[in-house]
Amino acid sequence: MNPPIFLVGPRGCGKTTVGTELARACDSQFVDTDHWLQENAGQSIAGIVENEGWESFRARETATLEAVTAPSTVIATGGGIILADYNRHFMREKGIVIYLCAPVATLVGRLEAFPEEGQRPALTAKPLSEEVSEVLAERDALYREAAHHVVDASAPPKEVVIQIITALRLACAS
């Protein structure tokens, strides 16, 4: 049985797209924690945050992480899942954590090109590029702390998958 693979990174880094491809390449299940949470809550993340607040959403996010963690599963996590110390340690202990790292310009370009995919409410009232830059500055160290491997997510999805598989093979060989 292969350990679960957790994909972490900010909105727009490609966790869902890369995760789907990676799961296919590794003959694994794929779960997106945001999608799973929304289906089980019967409302959008924005709705949960509006009705219950961020703290409740973060608690649901942790419960979702625990619920979907299983062998031979690629798990795309929400961008803020690493904010909780518990979640960072849980992912590191239960599986392999891959940080999909991309520059702010790449993230902003993707978020602007596919606005409907960012189902989360904005974290600030600032322009997108400023928000992404600030959020990444706050979270980059946490993503790195959680990660076993950091890959360049600015490449096309198939190339990112190859980078991940290569990193995993090298880790298994050493």
Side-chain angles (χ1 to χ4, degrees):
M1 281 284 178
N2 294 327
I5 297 171
F6 300 96
L7 302 179
V8 300
R11 290 188 308 158
C13 72
K15 296 179 297 279
T16 302
T17 305
V18 168
T20 305
E21 293 269 339
L22 182 62
R24 196 174 300 126
C26 297
D27 197 25
S28 296
Q29 297 295 315
F30 172 73
V31 180
D32 180 304
T33 59
D34 282 351
H35 294 166
W36 194 93
L37 194 161
Q38 288 176 106
E39 271 182 35
N40 284 274
Q43 59 182 322
S44 69
I45 290 170
I48 295 167
V49 170
E50 190 178 316
N51 298 325
E52 302 173 20
W54 277 104
E55 195 175 317
S56 176
F57 166 69
R58 293 291 179 209
R60 284 177 179 248
E61 190 174 52
T62 295
T64 297
L65 179 64
E66 293 171 336
V68 303
T69 296
S72 299
T73 305
V74 175
I75 302 162
T77 64
I81 208 157
I82 47 79
L83 294 173
D85 206 34
Y86 174 86
N87 293 345
R88 292 193 308 276
H89 293 291
F90 178 86
M91 291 185 293
R92 275 195 71 84
E93 287 172 17
K94 301 287 183 192
I96 300 164
V97 184
I98 311 286
Y99 172 21
L100 301 183
C101 186
V104 171
T106 300
L107 299 172
V108 170
R110 289 176 181 169
L111 291 170
E112 287 175 344
F114 302 100
E116 71 283 357
E117 289 180 16
Q119 326 108 327
R120 288 190 174 216
L123 298 172
T124 67
K126 298 179 176 165
L128 189 60
S129 60
E130 238 180 279
E131 178 179 305
V132 170
S133 182
E134 281 183 21
V135 169
L136 191 57
E138 288 169 13
R139 296 179 180 178
D140 183 67
L142 297 175
Y143 291 131
R144 290 177 187 280
E145 176 190 317
H148 293 96
H149 305 283
V150 178
V151 298
D152 175 11
S154 60
K158 285 187 182 349
E159 289 178 31
V160 177
V161 169
I162 291 167
Q163 286 182 64
I164 294 170
I165 292 170
T166 302
L168 296 175
R169 285 198 181 127
L170 290 174
C172 291
S174 56

